[in-house]
């Protein structure tokens, strides 16, 4: 029995060393480039082999000292990676929304209102709008599926009795020429940005040009609750304007960010795996009772708006068209 425990202990140490090396190698590969990357990976290989050799040569104290030095070095380097506001951003995420509040009046600046002509090309237009919080009367959730049905992007649209709509979307802030990957989202590769946009921009891009499966779910909240959610987005906009932060694939993505905002309404809002498997978010909201209870297939079929969006010809406002008006 003692021998088994001894062997398991060695296995655990090897797994820990290799796991730490794999994590460090991934961080180095994503954060560094060129000769610096090659040197760092070479040093990592040498240190990993040295740790394994020292451990199995019964130089355990020296191995632990080397491991501690390596951990401090890697941790110190990793904490020098900080989010920035002033990179060479891709045009569609080059401006995060900013907000100013005076009583019941909210002014949003840097609202994206691009005229898209393809998935990647558009005539840029950034606008400012004033909103009267007393006219807030609806909150709609859009989910947009582009590949795997379990993964969707989440957008939240607020409607006003004046006919205005503004959509908020928590997104990665890509640099020019940069593409998103889920692994990089765990390793501080992308900043986070809060985009505010018109529905004719951000929703039509997905229905008409990306041809994603976009669904609209009206969320059943009271006017007071809608106001709390809207102001939660305003607070997020102001926080990101004051201090940038990183996007994280698991803990700070388009759905978990909204979950954190929604806790202003319900502090005990349960965490759920469907916040990560965002394509299943409508099931989560159905369980919470904020979207109508119905068989999932019927509910999702009724919510699909991609065919409606693709009928857009400019004769009717896009927001009315996708709501079947």
């Amino acid at each position: 029995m003692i021998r088994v425990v001894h062997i398991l202990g060695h296995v655990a140490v090897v797994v820990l060393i290799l796991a730490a090396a794999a994590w460090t190698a991934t961080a180095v590969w994503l954060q560094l480039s060129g000769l610096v990357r090659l040197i760092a990976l070479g040093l990592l290989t040498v240190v990993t082999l040295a740790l394994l050799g020292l451990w199995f040569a019964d130089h355990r104290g020296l191995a632990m000292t080397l491991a501690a030095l390596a951990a401090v070095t890697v941790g110190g380097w990793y904490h020098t990676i900080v989010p920035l506001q002033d990179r060479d951003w891709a045009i569609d995420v080059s401006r995060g929304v900013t907000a100013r509040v005076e009583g019941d009046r909210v002014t949003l600046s840097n609202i994206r209102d691009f005229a898209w002509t393809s998935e990647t090309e558009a005539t840029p237009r950034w606008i400012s709008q004033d909103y009267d919080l007393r006219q807030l009367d609806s909150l709609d959730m859009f989910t947009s599926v582009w590949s795997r049905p379990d993964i969707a992007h989440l957008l939240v649209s607020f409607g006003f009795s004046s006919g205005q709509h503004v959509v908020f979307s928590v997104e990665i802030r890509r640099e020019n020429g940069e593409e998103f990957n889920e692994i990089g989202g765990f390793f501080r590769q992308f900043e986070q940005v809060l985009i505010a946009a018109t529905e004719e921009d951000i929703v039509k891009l997905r229905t008409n040009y990306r041809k994603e499966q976009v669904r609209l779910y009206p969320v059943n909240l009271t006017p007071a609750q809608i106001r709390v959610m809207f102001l939660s987005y305003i607070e997020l906009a102001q926080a990101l304007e004051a201090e940038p932060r990183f996007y994280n694939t698991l803990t700070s993505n388009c759905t978990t960010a909204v979950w954190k905002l929604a806790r202003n309404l319900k502090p005990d809002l349960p965490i759920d795996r469907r916040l990560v498997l965002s394509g299943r978010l409508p099931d989560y909201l159905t369980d919470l009772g904020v979207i109508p209870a119905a068989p999932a297939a019927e509910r999702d079929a009724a919510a699909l708006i991609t065919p409606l969006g693709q009928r857009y010809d400019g004769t009717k406002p896009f927001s009315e068209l996708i709501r079947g008006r």
Side-chain angles (χ1 to χ4, degrees), residues 239-305:
L240 289 173
E241 181 185 9
E243 185 177 357
R245 65 182 66 167
F246 283 114
Y247 177 96
N248 185 280
T249 301
L250 184 62
T251 63
S252 187
N253 57 40
C254 65
T255 51
T256 55
V258 176
W259 174 79
K260 292 173 184 177
L261 298 180
R263 293 181 68 194
N264 290 327
L265 287 177
K266 186 176 172 59
D268 60 346
L269 189 66
I271 192 76
D272 192 284
R273 66 189 180 90
R274 291 170 292 188
L275 294 169
V276 177
L277 298 174
S278 46
R280 302 181 185 180
L281 195 61
D283 297 332
Y284 177 68
L285 296 182
T286 296
D287 290 346
L288 292 176
V290 295
I291 65 175
E298 294 179 17
R299 177 201 65 204
D300 295 343
L304 185 66
I305 63 162

Side-chain angles (χ1 to χ4, degrees), residues 85-91 94 174-178:
Q85 298 274 33
D86 57 351
R87 301 186 192 274
D88 180 20
W89 304 115
I91 185 63
S94 60
R174 307 177 328 280
E175 296 177 62
N176 265 326
E178 190 174 42

Side-chain angles (χ1 to χ4, degrees), residues 49-115:
L49 293 175
L51 281 172
L52 292 171
L54 289 169
W55 184 265
F56 285 104
D58 286 332
H59 297 300
R60 307 288 164 72
L62 188 56
M64 293 177 69
T65 300
L66 179 59
L69 287 172
V72 169
T73 301
V74 172
W77 162 71
Y78 194 68
H79 279 86
T80 65
I81 304 168
V82 295
L84 300 174
Q85 298 274 33
D86 57 351
R87 301 186 192 274
D88 180 20
W89 304 115
I91 185 63
D92 58 316
V93 291
S94 60
R95 303 188 191 185
V97 62
T98 60
R100 300 293 178 266
V101 182
E102 294 182 7
D104 289 319
R105 306 293 299 184
V106 175
T107 300
L108 298 183
S109 300
N110 294 330
I111 299 172
R112 204 180 74 193
D113 186 32
F114 284 19

Side-chain angles (χ1 to χ4, degrees), residues 99-132:
R100 300 293 178 266
V101 182
E102 294 182 7
D104 289 319
R105 306 293 299 184
V106 175
T107 300
L108 298 183
S109 300
N110 294 330
I111 299 172
R112 204 180 74 193
D113 186 32
F114 284 19
W116 292 91
T117 55
S118 74
E119 292 184 51
T120 57
E121 297 178 342
T123 301
R125 182 171 180 249
W126 301 92
I127 61 175
S128 296
Q129 291 283 350
D130 292 326
Y131 301 93
D132 187 339

Side-chain angles (χ1 to χ4, degrees), residues 94-207:
S94 60
R95 303 188 191 185
V97 62
T98 60
R100 300 293 178 266
V101 182
E102 294 182 7
D104 289 319
R105 306 293 299 184
V106 175
T107 300
L108 298 183
S109 300
N110 294 330
I111 299 172
R112 204 180 74 193
D113 186 32
F114 284 19
W116 292 91
T117 55
S118 74
E119 292 184 51
T120 57
E121 297 178 342
T123 301
R125 182 171 180 249
W126 301 92
I127 61 175
S128 296
Q129 291 283 350
D130 292 326
Y131 301 93
D132 187 339
L133 294 177
R134 294 166 297 185
Q135 295 180 347
L136 258 175
D137 65 0
S138 68
L139 187 157
D140 296 319
M141 179 186 76
F142 292 92
T143 62
S144 186
V145 174
W146 62 94
S147 178
R148 293 170 290 174
D150 282 341
I151 301 298
H153 184 66
L154 174 67
L155 306 101
V156 175
S157 178
F158 291 89
F160 296 78
S161 58
S162 61
Q164 295 169 296
H165 289 88
V166 61
V167 184
F168 291 105
S169 175
V170 175
E171 302 191 7
I172 64 161
R173 201 171 193 184
R174 307 177 328 280
E175 296 177 62
N176 265 326
E178 190 174 42
E179 293 185 3
F180 175 67
N181 69 84
E182 288 85 354
I183 300 301
F186 288 103
F187 287 89
R188 300 186 176 184
Q189 188 176 5
F190 307 106
E191 280 83 358
Q192 184 182 93
V193 65
L194 179 62
I195 295 294
T198 61
E199 291 184 342
E200 191 169 338
D201 171 332
I202 202 166
V203 178
K204 185 155 70 75
L205 168 63
R206 288 166 167 80
T207 57

Side-chain angles (χ1 to χ4, degrees), residues 1-60:
M1 184 65 182
I2 294 176
R3 180 175 175 78
V4 172
V5 172
H6 184 70
I7 292 173
L8 289 176
H10 281 306
V11 171
V13 169
V14 171
V15 169
L16 183 61
I17 291 173
L18 293 180
W23 185 95
T24 304
T26 305
V28 166
W29 185 265
L30 292 170
Q31 294 293 341
L32 303 178
S33 61
L35 182 60
V36 175
R37 177 199 280 171
L38 295 177
I39 291 172
L41 290 174
L43 288 173
L44 175 61
T45 301
V46 170
V47 170
T48 301
L49 293 175
L51 281 172
L52 292 171
L54 289 169
W55 184 265
F56 285 104
D58 286 332
H59 297 300
R60 307 288 164 72

